[in-house]
Amino acid sequence: MFREDVSERGPATAVAVVGASALETGVARGPRPRPSALARALPFYFIAPTVGLLALVVAYPIGYSFWVSLHHTEYLRVGPAVGLAHYRFLLGDEVVRRDVVISLKYLIGSLAGAVPLGLLLAMVLNQRLRFGAWFRTICALPWVISQTVTALLWTWLLDPSFGPVNYLLDAAGFARVNFVGNETTALPVLVAVNVWMSYPFAMILFLAGLQTIPAELYEAARIDGANAVQEFRDVTLPLLRNTLLATCVMLTLYYFTMVTLILIFTGGGPVGSTEVMSLRVFNEMFSYWRVAPASALGMVIFVLNAIFSFVYVRVLRAEAER
Amino acid sequence: MTARRRIRGKLLASYAFLVAMAVFALAPLVWALLTSLKVKTQVLAYPPVWIPSPLTFENYGAVLFGSNMPRYLLNTFVVAVLAIAVALALASHTAYAASRFRFRGRETTLFIILSASMVPIISLLTPLYLVWTRIGLHDTYAGVSLAYAACQVPTAIWLIRGFVDAVPREVEEAAMLDGCGAWQCFYRIVLPIIQPGLAAAGILIFIYVWNDFLLATTLTISEEHRLIQVGLYRYLSDLGVEWGRFTAYTVLATLPIIVMFVAVQKRLLEGLVAGAMKG
């Protein structure tokens, strides 16, 4: 087997020494024969195609994007180098600052909706009720609905003249609301639609986490006279901590880089009130063809994402070592 | 007595909450289905008509025979199959290596592969468009498929690796004694055993490709290569407010995914959890 020390060198060097060590194969030297060079090169052959694809589609474009962001661009032509000018501009730009604030509101609002909803639902479903599987399937459904469909569907549900939501408001004696066309309501409504689409993700992960908590712990808590609140605080929360943390982080990364839902639902408007940072990147590039600023802002989002992921991995590792 | 009443109260509250959530989840979808079956006058009727009468399939006919939707469906299938083939071929080999081989730089390599999945699509969009245009991959099946495959390979690796880890090593060791090499071990023994893992990963990739709008709208431009979500969006903006047609389109574009999800949800959810917890 290759389990132990197939190669003491990296997979790349292993290929380089194929010729040199070929002679040694088959010659028993000591109690444990060295694996042949071919065997040492094996991991390389198994992994190289994946690395190649990721280099082409992810690594090279990201590097290229950084290079472009340091240049002046006109339409798709890359002109002279301008250093960090685009980044300096972004730092000072008021619209960018506004977009950052909108991004944060969008992120925090969506988390505050999807996480408690998903957790509550998971806890209810974890009781092994009758028809529980049915309810789980139905409640998970929005997860497979695309962002495009979600945005268009809700556009219509909330339509100010013909939509059923406004009809219900009307029938209940409230004033009609032009949800999407109104600066004050557009962002909250967008967050609500996003919660509709993404709470199942939290629910599914929480349910998986809850199922790893042994039932005996709850029994023991009950024998000790714990009420529902104490049970939740002293059993569920501590044991679900890692799942909670991981889910929040994944949702954060997801929300922070979302484009499609917002692009189709509001397009960033009205008057820019729902333009999050990632949508700004899309518009800079594919509406105005300002390639370098789009690249620069894209790099900023990439770096923020990377820092956040890195911190998260560190926290998880520290957690695991404790 | 009081304890039993409390349990019953809790049960009642649980069901009430579940019903409310089920309505919240389903109502928009049911409303779309109902609308797609209405005649034009009922679609825009006020107060809204809840149950369509007469039932009509006119909207479906218009979408299926009067629009380019079938072409977009075909395109989406082609791209999804290509992406799945590439991603599974690469991911299964890498997962096997990650599970069975010990070599220097192993952790680093795997970490780099995982990091690639952390790169947000929005940061990749601009350069990917530029690079693809330059090397002739823009607006081709291969171009989008490769992008999808790359986006999904890291998740697929972590998902499939779980299945490889579960294959008992004794099986392979026995085969090695019979003279099987690593390649044969992988193709003849491990690959058949991990088929459920490959299926789960394949389904996840299919849903991803089917539902994606962002890469599709950036990396394709012509109708010959347009994918279903972009087609749906364009259909609505070209047509204006034709909600009957639009909802019929939506139902046709969403139903395959819903059916697939309900049919294989157990495996799918396991896949999602495994993929999500890879960190």
Side-chain angles (χ1 to χ4, degrees):
Chain A
M1 283 299 289
F2 321 100
R3 253 182 290 157
E4 280 142 29
D5 307 313
V6 167
S7 159
E8 298 107 353
R9 288 164 243 196
T13 51
V15 183
V17 293
V18 164
S21 343
L23 292 173
E24 294 171 6
T25 43
V27 184
R29 295 183 298 120
R32 244 184 61 192
R34 259 179 79 186
S36 73
L38 204 64
R40 273 184 281 144
L42 260 177
F44 174 79
Y45 292 124
F46 273 81
I47 292 175
T50 298
V51 174
L53 180 70
L54 292 175
L56 173 70
V57 182
V58 182
Y60 175 68
I62 278 289
Y64 182 65
S65 188
F66 180 61
W67 183 79
V68 167
S69 73
L70 302 176
H71 289 72
H72 176 76
T73 55
E74 196 152 334
Y75 189 52
L76 296 186
R77 271 192 311 278
V78 181
V82 292
L84 293 172
H86 293 298
Y87 293 92
R88 267 199 298 276
F89 171 78
L90 289 176
L91 269 179
D93 187 34
E94 238 162 76
V95 181
V96 169
R97 230 172 280 158
R98 181 201 66 185
D99 290 350
V100 172
V101 174
I102 294 172
S103 274
L104 284 176
K105 281 184 185 167
Y106 179 70
L107 169 65
I108 292 165
S110 302
L111 279 177
V115 171
L117 202 58
L119 183 57
L120 195 59
L121 208 45
M123 282 167 58
V124 170
L125 285 171
N126 197 36
Q127 296 175 95
R128 290 160 198 269
L129 300 170
R130 237 211 274 191
F131 306 117
W134 284 89
F135 279 112
R136 191 193 62 201
T137 304
I138 292 172
C139 291
L141 262 191
W143 179 64
V144 291
I145 308 299
S146 75
Q147 296 186 36
T148 318
V149 168
T150 304
L152 293 173
L153 214 50
W154 281 94
T155 303
W156 188 42
L157 285 165
L158 300 170
D159 187 271
S161 3
F162 303 108
V165 173
N166 264 310
Y167 167 74
L168 292 176
L169 279 181
D170 214 8
F174 293 102
R176 292 158 161 279
V177 184
N178 185 357
F179 291 103
V180 182
N182 190 314
E183 252 181 276
T184 47
T185 52
L187 188 60
V189 167
L190 174 66
V191 167
V193 171
N194 188 26
V195 168
W196 180 80
M197 201 185 68
S198 55
Y199 81 83
F201 181 77
M203 177 192 93
I204 291 162
L205 294 185
F206 290 150
L207 202 50
L210 284 174
Q211 277 160 1
T212 63
I213 301 178
E216 294 85 51
L217 285 178
Y218 288 104
E219 270 160 42
R222 223 158 293 157
I223 289 166
D224 289 343
N227 60 30
V229 176
Q230 287 167 323
E231 240 179 68
F232 177 72
R233 196 192 57 206
D234 297 331
V235 182
T236 310
L237 264 192
L239 287 168
L240 208 60
R241 234 189 88 124
N242 281 348
T243 311
L244 264 172
L245 189 67
T247 307
C248 286
V249 169
M250 272 180 288
L251 282 175
T252 301
L253 297 175
Y254 175 62
Y255 292 152
F256 186 59
T257 57
M258 254 172 109
V259 180
T260 308
L261 178 76
I262 310 165
L263 175 72
I264 295 177
F265 191 61
T266 66
V271 236
S273 60
T274 55
E275 191 186 66
V276 297
M277 282 166 80
S278 41
L279 184 63
R280 172 75 181 273
V281 176
F282 187 86
N283 284 337
E284 283 283 328
M285 178 65 194
F286 298 103
S287 305
Y288 314 123
W289 297 99
R290 291 198 284 251
V291 176
S295 295
L297 197 54
M299 289 309 296
V300 171
I301 289 177
F302 167 62
V303 169
L304 288 177
N305 233 36
I307 292 172
F308 192 71
S309 313
F310 181 73
V311 170
Y312 159 66
V313 170
R314 271 296 176 80
V315 170
L316 266 199
R317 290 235 173 104
E319 233 9 68
E321 275 159 22
R322 251 198 349 197
Chain B
M1 265 330 261
T2 52
R4 191 184 290 173
R5 194 178 297 159
R6 212 173 61 200
I7 288 172
R8 192 186 292 167
K10 196 179 162 198
L11 211 60
L12 216 63
S14 296
Y15 276 113
F17 178 64
L18 284 180
V19 169
M21 284 308 294
V23 170
F24 178 56
L26 273 186
L29 304 174
V30 172
W31 177 249
L33 183 65
L34 290 176
T35 305
S36 70
L37 298 168
K38 288 178 192 168
V39 293
K40 206 172 174 182
T41 46
Q42 290 200 328
V43 170
L44 294 181
Y46 194 88
V49 179
W50 301 102
I51 305 296
S53 80
L55 275 182
T56 173
F57 290 96
E58 162 197 76
N59 292 317
Y60 288 92
V63 170
L64 280 173
F65 306 111
S67 81
N68 259 340
M69 195 248 192
R71 175 67 205 234
Y72 304 155
L73 278 184
L74 178 74
N75 290 342
T76 311
F77 267 110
V78 171
V79 169
V81 167
L82 283 175
I84 290 171
V86 173
L88 289 189
L90 299 188
S92 54
H93 283 88
T94 307
Y96 183 70
S99 172
R100 292 295 194 259
F101 299 155
R102 295 283 170 276
F103 53 92
R104 204 154 120 206
R106 180 172 163 278
E107 291 307 317
T108 320
T109 315
L110 293 176
F111 178 75
I112 290 172
I113 292 174
L114 180 61
S115 317
S117 72
M118 296 285 187
V119 175
I121 302 290
I122 183 63
S123 305
L124 274 179
L125 227 44
T126 307
L128 210 49
Y129 174 83
L130 297 174
V131 174
W132 263 208
T133 312
R134 217 147 284 175
I135 62 178
L137 278 176
H138 183 250
D139 202 26
T140 62
Y141 287 141
V144 240
S145 306
L146 280 179
Y148 286 135
C151 292
Q152 291 297 295
V153 144
T155 315
I157 291 172
W158 260 262
L159 175 59
I160 294 171
R161 189 190 164 168
F163 285 81
V164 180
D165 283 341
V167 177
R169 281 162 195 261
E170 289 75 30
V171 183
E172 283 164 80
E173 274 160 15
M176 296 229 165
L177 287 179
D178 292 343
C180 258
W183 294 98
Q184 281 169 315
C185 259
F186 175 64
Y187 289 120
R188 296 230 186 114
I189 296 163
V190 176
L191 217 45
I193 302 180
I194 61 167
Q195 267 171 17
L198 299 179
I203 292 167
L204 280 175
I205 299 170
F206 186 84
I207 293 181
Y208 181 84
V209 173
W210 189 278
N211 280 347
D212 174 74
F213 174 87
L214 208 51
L215 282 168
T217 194
T218 312
L219 299 182
T220 66
I221 184 92
S222 67
E223 297 229 355
E224 289 88 78
H225 298 107
R226 186 168 293 168
L227 302 189
I228 188 76
Q229 301 294 330
V230 180
L232 174 66
Y233 177 62
R234 288 294 176 82
Y235 187 65
L236 193 72
S237 45
D238 292 347
L239 213 64
V241 194
E242 274 272 17
W243 294 108
R245 301 279 162 83
F246 156 70
T247 45
Y249 204 127
T250 303
V251 170
L252 289 173
T254 309
L255 216 53
I257 292 288
I258 292 185
V259 169
M260 202 155 139
F261 171 69
V262 174
V264 293
Q265 61 154 318
K266 196 160 172 267
R267 182 169 289 169
L268 198 63
L269 297 187
E270 282 164 8
L272 170 72
V273 172
M277 291 306 171
K278 65 205 167 189

